[in-house]
Amino acid sequence: MKILFYTPQSDATAWLADLRCALPEADVREWQPGDRAPADFAIVWRPPHDMLAGRSDLRAVFNLGAGVDAILALEREQPGTLPSNVPLVRLEDTGMAEQMAEYVVHAVLRYMRRFDEYALLQAEHRWHVLDPHPRESFTVGVLGLGVLGTHVARVIASFGLPVRGYSRSARHIDGIATYAGPAQLDAFLDGVKVLVNLLPHTPETHDVLNAGTFAKLADHAYLINVARGAHLVERDLLDALHTGRIAAATLDVFREEPLPAGHPFWSEPRITITPHSSALTLRAESVAQIAQKIGALTRNEPVTGIVDIARGY
């Protein structure tokens, strides 16, 4: 068994060592430009077109992340990047759900208890007690009920807060009001106090966090974006903060990363910025999941996490 590996964002040495340990029978190599030697599987993050194009020998391509928007965008820009009839398999959780829940819950409770406002008061050396937001009306809406979104919604609900969830297809989650499809989006948004975005990034969800969306939320609502920067119309958020439509925002993802030093988000005190760190890919868990799925595929057994290319996730 021959496996190709590629990532532009980190030293491949540790990944290659762990993959060889988990798959001792495999020949695992890091892809280099011009490498067209046969391979059975490819494990990639943001691969170049030349790595995958025309590789009819592959049995599957594994994406080193739950989001596949980058590799699908490359396919749209350069058709044929993904070999035809070769499944694209994304990571499922691998420790990301717990991290994401920690991040989002921290942000939600910070806003409910008004710690963001206390930070502004501290900067002014002002001692002033603020009433917390009423729990019963502090409705949290989770956009996107995949593995991460579902877990986040359940954890938030465990704090006794009212939680709604929105997905493209109908879902049932105990204790959470669920909405599905474009026809129910406005009803989902109506009165939401904290909007948490965990949607996959597809052409249909591009720019979904815009002035029209903000106008449907509760007055002085909060935004938490932990999905993709391309979901957010940045000018609309700045305008909504200026008018008070949005009280504050926590952003982990941006259209351009790293966020440029001169970007207006840096100087907006009501925006909390983190460097795309809400849920990091954990190498050991990822390698174990990929190795398990490669084993299943070699035995001609089904695997989960296969991406529907047309839907984008």
Side-chain angles (χ1 to χ4, degrees), residues 24-283:
E25 73 282 8
D27 172 14
V28 183
R29 70 182 190 273
E30 183 178 11
W31 182 83
Q32 301 292 339
D35 181 351
R36 300 303 297 178
D40 300 293
F41 300 97
I43 302 169
V44 301
W45 179 250
R46 296 182 179 272
H49 171 79
D50 293 346
M51 178 185 179
L52 298 177
R55 280 195 169 274
S56 57
D57 52 341
L58 291 175
R59 297 187 59 180
V61 175
F62 288 88
N63 185 67
L64 284 176
V68 293
D69 51 307
I71 195 169
L72 294 185
L74 181 61
E75 172 64 23
R76 288 192 297 271
E77 294 164 5
Q78 300 185 61
T81 297
L82 290 173
S84 59
N85 302 316
V86 174
L88 174 64
V89 187
R90 60 179 174 81
L91 290 180
E92 299 176 283
D93 190 359
T94 64
M96 288 183 281
E98 287 297 336
Q99 295 178 74
M100 190 65 78
E102 292 165 355
Y103 183 103
V104 173
V105 166
H106 173 272
V108 168
L109 296 181
R110 177 170 175 257
Y111 290 138
M112 188 186 79
R113 294 297 305 271
R114 304 177 72 174
F115 291 136
D116 61 315
E117 295 174 72
Y118 280 127
L120 297 176
L121 290 170
Q122 178 178 340
E124 299 173 359
H125 298 191
R126 290 177 59 197
W127 180 282
H128 178 62
V129 178
L130 301 170
D131 293 331
H133 290 286
R135 182 182 297 267
E136 62 275 8
S137 62
F138 204 72
T139 302
V140 180
V142 179
L143 272 171
L145 293 175
V147 173
L148 300 185
T150 297
H151 184 68
V152 166
R154 284 174 170 154
V155 174
I156 295 171
S158 73
F159 284 83
L161 295 171
V163 180
R164 300 176 187 173
Y166 174 86
S167 57
R168 179 172 176 172
S169 304
R171 299 287 306 276
H172 174 76
I173 305 173
D174 289 343
I176 294 166
T178 56
Y179 301 74
Q184 295 188 351
L185 180 57
D186 285 358
F188 162 80
L189 294 170
D190 184 35
V192 162
K193 191 66 174 178
V194 184
L195 183 62
V196 180
N197 180 41
L198 275 159
L199 286 169
H201 179 230
T202 68
E204 291 73 27
T205 64
H206 190 82
D207 287 348
V208 68
L209 303 176
N210 56 48
T213 297
F214 302 151
K216 298 178 176 73
L217 303 175
D219 290 337
H220 311 297
Y222 299 92
L223 174 67
I224 301 169
N225 188 19
V226 286
R228 289 292 184 266
H231 285 128
L232 175 64
V233 180
E234 296 181 344
R235 184 69 257 170
D236 287 1
L237 174 60
L238 291 168
D239 290 344
L241 288 165
H242 178 72
T243 63
R245 164 53 58 185
I246 297 294
T250 296
L251 307 178
D252 186 54
V253 289
F254 306 90
R255 287 182 180 262
E256 183 179 351
E257 295 180 4
L259 189 66
H263 197 285
F265 283 176
W266 287 114
S267 55
E268 173 49 69
R270 290 164 296 181
I271 293 179
T272 298
I273 293 170
T274 53
H276 205 145
S277 57
S278 56
L280 302 175
T281 298
L282 302 179
R283 190 176 67 248

